[in-house]
Amino acid sequence: SENSSDSWLTIFPNPCNGTFSISSSKDQISFISIYNVFGELVFEKNINSYKSELTVPEISTGIYELRVDTKNGTTNRKVVISK
């Protein structure tokens, strides 16, 4: 399990309107999933890349947990959706 303060993972822009890019300077990102404040899965995608642009359809304004899976574990980040 990774420390969420690791700087190898970049999410930009954050806050975003539902479209953002994610990039890793360390491990290839295999999978991402986004959860709302109730712990419900709202989006998931196979990545298998060091960088990806994502558009989350019909996501509401709020704070979400982004889980990023790599071969070395899972990292959690907060993503703010602001429309």
Side-chain angles (χ1 to χ4, degrees):
S1 179
E2 309 269 358
N3 186 327
S4 64
S5 67
D6 283 346
S7 59
W8 59 270
L9 188 66
T10 304
I11 300 164
F12 183 83
N14 189 14
C16 68
N17 62 5
T19 297
F20 60 93
S21 63
I22 183 168
S23 61
S24 167
S25 62
K26 191 171 69 172
D27 298 325
Q28 183 169 289
I29 299 164
S30 55
F31 191 79
I32 68 123
S33 46
I34 298 175
Y35 295 83
N36 64 19
V37 291
F38 306 109
E40 298 165 336
L41 179 67
V42 294
F43 182 80
E44 60 183 356
K45 187 174 183 183
N46 283 305
I47 304 294
N48 297 318
S49 178
Y50 289 92
K51 184 169 185 179
S52 182
E53 184 167 290
L54 300 164
T55 299
V56 184
E58 298 177 29
I59 193 167
S60 303
T61 295
I63 299 172
Y64 293 82
E65 182 174 295
L66 176 67
R67 292 187 194 170
V68 180
D69 295 335
T70 71
K71 65 179 176 10
N72 287 321
T74 301
T75 300
N76 294 346
R77 287 294 169 86
K78 292 280 186 279
V79 174
V80 178
I81 304 294
S82 177
K83 295 196 170 181

